[in-house]
Amino acid sequence: MRVTTTGPLPEAPYDIVVVGAGVVGSAIARELARHRLRTALVDARDDVGDGTSKANTAILHTGFDAVPGSLESRLVREGQRRLAAYAAETGIPVEPVGALLVAWDEEQLAALPALAAKAERNDYHHARIIGPDDLYRREPRLGPGALGALDVPGESIICPWTTTLAYATQAVRGGVALHLNCRVDHLTDHGDHHELTTGRGVLRTRFLINAAGLHADELDRRLGLDDFTVTPRRGQLIVFDKLARDLVRHILLPVPTRLGKGVLVSPTVYGNVLLGPTAEDLDDKSATDSTAEGTEHLLREGGRILPELADEEITTVYAGLRAATEHDDYRIRAHPARRCLTVGGIRSTGLTASMAIAAHVVALLPEAGLTPGPAHELEPPRMPNLGEAFPRPYQRPELIAADPAYGTLVCHCERVTLGEIRDALAATVPPRTVDGLRRRTRARGGRCQGFYCGPAVDALLEAGLPEPAAPPPPGTAAR
């Protein structure tokens, strides 16, 4: 078994350890699985994508508004192409709904030509300014007073949970060891290898990739590096019930500020409507609580953008932390003297850029002193569909005829079947918690938030957890 959550860690050293199993770390592990290296992916949480990667706006960006000439701009453009193709190959739900950057006053309207020119400098040539008549024709429920918009047809919505899980699944099937519940407490450089002291014991590795997200600056400092400081930026969001879905057709964006892209209204691939995020710079890297002030602010903004949202039911609220730094660009650096590579300052575009970041990181490994060797192709996983724009198991008579478990609803709000829960529990990277199961199936994620299906889902989770297995020696890939 190549996924461990408890028990001792392997004593034999790895060639390379990736710290951080978010969307970027998992993408890097997947890319490393293409090379014959003894690789491990470790994370402090009990699941992949359980930090910043699970709580974002779930947009597949074009990169039209990135800083021209920056590393982020290049990797977002390349990552968007890579991830769109990968999603089609693996079944990650993506919907190309397009975005409208709405101007609500003369100052914002005057800023649109510069934003269109910026898109051109970022090699995105499809953005165009539209007037209020065209805007309201395309978004008839929009609040009064909009003066125009920048139309960005290439923006899409995506499932961030399935993306991270697909990367991790493919990495593990390709031979990468995944060690969860494995917080790195101490880091010692012994000259020819690093020792990572964790709550589960010691891991040894020749090379280290720091993709620790909010904690990447802290891990760097343990290596004697001081290139950036992470300031957690909290984004609170509101999810509206599926009955609100007909109110909006595009991703509705404000004119951005220095703190971010502001409050947006967006459909989701799950059939809901998303409102947010806030942008609050904090000191606490664990402050993922929603606040009354944040919710009230979002509701005011949402009522101005789409007045009818005020009449819709709220399914849930949540908050995520973005790894903001004092720099305007990603901080991806090779450190040959330390035999490590840092992947820091990856903000909200990290989901889109993840595959391109991974390829860039592996290309930098020789600079850090490790030649990864020739690459080989990996068999792509086929992920379960969580999107409403594509047939779900309960809608597929041929699937139900072959296996009635796909016609047995467990979560009625989200139409999640017994077969889907069973498959998730038996997957390569199975869930260990109710939240992990929700990210794989949507169970307990609907309007009742588990009030009706909770006991049944909990019982299935408890019954379906496999017994922990001893970790295999590193490098014994399951091919």
Side-chain angles (χ1 to χ4, degrees):
M1 184 177 181
R2 301 205 61 84
V3 180
T4 72
T5 56
T6 59
L9 298 168
E11 294 185 7
Y14 288 99
D15 290 321
I16 191 161
V17 166
V18 182
V19 179
V23 70
V24 171
S26 296
I28 293 170
R30 172 194 168 274
E31 190 70 20
L32 288 169
R34 301 176 62 234
H35 302 269
R36 298 198 179 279
L37 298 166
R38 299 188 307 277
T39 302
L41 174 64
V42 305
D43 199 275
R45 309 278 189 131
D46 61 10
D47 199 4
V48 298
D50 195 39
T52 296
S53 299
K54 73 179 180 184
N56 54 51
T57 51
I59 295 174
L60 185 57
H61 296 286
T62 59
F64 78 96
D65 58 348
V67 176
S70 65
L71 179 63
E72 179 180 18
S73 173
R74 177 171 70 82
L75 295 182
V76 169
R77 289 198 309 273
E78 180 185 341
Q80 191 272 342
R81 291 190 291 269
R82 285 176 177 253
L83 183 48
Y86 184 72
E89 181 180 47
T90 59
I92 298 169
V94 173
E95 291 185 52
V97 295
L100 295 170
L101 197 74
V102 181
W104 295 96
D105 57 39
E106 293 293 344
E107 182 180 359
Q108 293 176 5
L109 186 65
L112 295 185
L115 287 167
K118 188 178 188 180
E120 289 285 338
R121 294 200 302 278
N122 280 316
D123 202 27
Y124 183 76
H125 306 293
H126 305 291
R128 65 185 183 94
I129 297 172
I130 62 173
D133 290 344
D134 195 4
L135 173 60
Y136 280 99
R137 179 184 60 78
R138 298 175 64 178
E139 285 290 349
R141 309 292 186 89
L142 196 65
L147 303 179
L150 183 69
D151 177 22
V152 188
E155 299 278 296
S156 302
I157 53 177
I158 188 171
C159 176
W161 307 330
T162 310
T163 303
T164 305
L165 184 61
Y167 294 158
T169 297
Q170 198 167 16
V172 170
R173 291 180 183 176
V176 173
L178 172 60
H179 300 304
L180 300 169
N181 290 325
C182 203
R183 182 184 301 277
V184 177
D185 297 317
H186 300 286
L187 180 58
T188 306
D189 187 351
H190 287 277
D192 62 344
H193 73 280
H194 298 284
E195 268 192 9
L196 286 66
T197 303
T198 78
R200 293 177 50 197
V202 174
L203 273 176
R204 296 170 181 85
T205 181
R206 292 170 55 213
F207 291 85
L208 182 70
I209 293 179
N210 173 8
L214 291 166
H215 302 281
D217 57 339
E218 301 165 30
L219 192 60
D220 253 19
R221 290 188 183 104
R222 293 175 189 171
L223 290 161
L225 305 169
D226 191 9
D227 185 45
F228 61 94
T229 297
V230 171
T231 299
R233 181 167 293 162
R234 181 167 62 188
Q236 301 185 50
L237 299 107
I238 298 174
V239 180
F240 287 88
D241 188 71
K242 291 175 175 53
L243 294 175
R245 178 61 182 83
D246 289 340
L247 296 181
V248 60
R249 301 172 182 174
H250 304 76
I251 304 164
L252 300 180
L253 299 169
V255 175
T257 69
R258 65 177 185 86
L259 285 178
K261 297 178 180 178
V263 175
L264 60 84
V265 176
S266 175
T268 74
V269 295
Y270 320 114
N272 301 89
V273 173
L274 191 65
L275 172 65
T278 59
E280 311 157 58
D281 284 346
L282 307 173
D283 296 322
D284 185 355
K285 293 182 178 180
S286 63
T288 56
D289 295 333
S290 298
T291 66
E293 295 80 10
T295 301
E296 290 168 3
H297 167 69
L298 292 178
L299 290 174
R300 284 195 302 271
E301 290 295 304
R304 180 175 62 87
I305 300 167
L306 279 182
E308 291 176 69
L309 269 183
D311 300 323
E312 298 297 330
E313 292 186 7
I314 294 174
T315 295
T316 190
V317 298
Y318 67 94
L321 298 175
R322 309 191 285 283
T325 73
E326 67 272 36
H327 302 285
D328 289 333
D329 204 354
Y330 295 162
R331 309 303 291 175
I332 302 178
R333 300 284 189 275
H335 306 288
R338 297 287 190 272
R339 302 177 321 287
C340 70
L341 201 148
T342 300
V343 186
I346 311 299
R347 298 178 296 274
S348 59
T349 54
L351 170 61
T352 299
S354 53
M355 296 188 79
I357 291 173
H360 179 68
V361 165
V362 172
L364 286 177
L365 283 178
E367 185 179 328
L370 175 64
T371 301
H376 61 275
E377 293 303 315
L378 300 173
E379 184 71 23
R382 190 65 189 174
M383 304 306 294
N385 169 46
L386 301 188
E388 286 298 302
F390 313 90
R392 301 271 308 285
Y394 79 93
Q395 298 170 313
R396 297 175 57 189
E398 79 289 352
L399 192 63
I400 296 168
D403 186 343
Y406 293 112
T408 304
L409 289 179
V410 176
C411 171
H412 286 73
C413 292
E414 295 297 294
R415 304 293 193 268
V416 181
T417 67
L418 177 62
E420 292 169 278
I421 294 175
R422 178 200 61 201
D423 292 348
L425 295 174
T428 302
V429 184
R432 299 285 164 173
T433 64
V434 168
D435 281 345
L437 184 60
R438 176 177 54 82
R439 291 193 295 272
R440 287 160 173 80
T441 64
R442 290 173 38 183
R444 294 185 55 147
R447 64 190 308 178
C448 85
Q449 291 291 286
F451 181 81
Y452 291 104
C453 68
V457 172
D458 293 349
L460 288 168
L461 179 64
E462 184 176 355
L465 285 177
E467 291 296 322
T476 53
R479 301 190 190 281

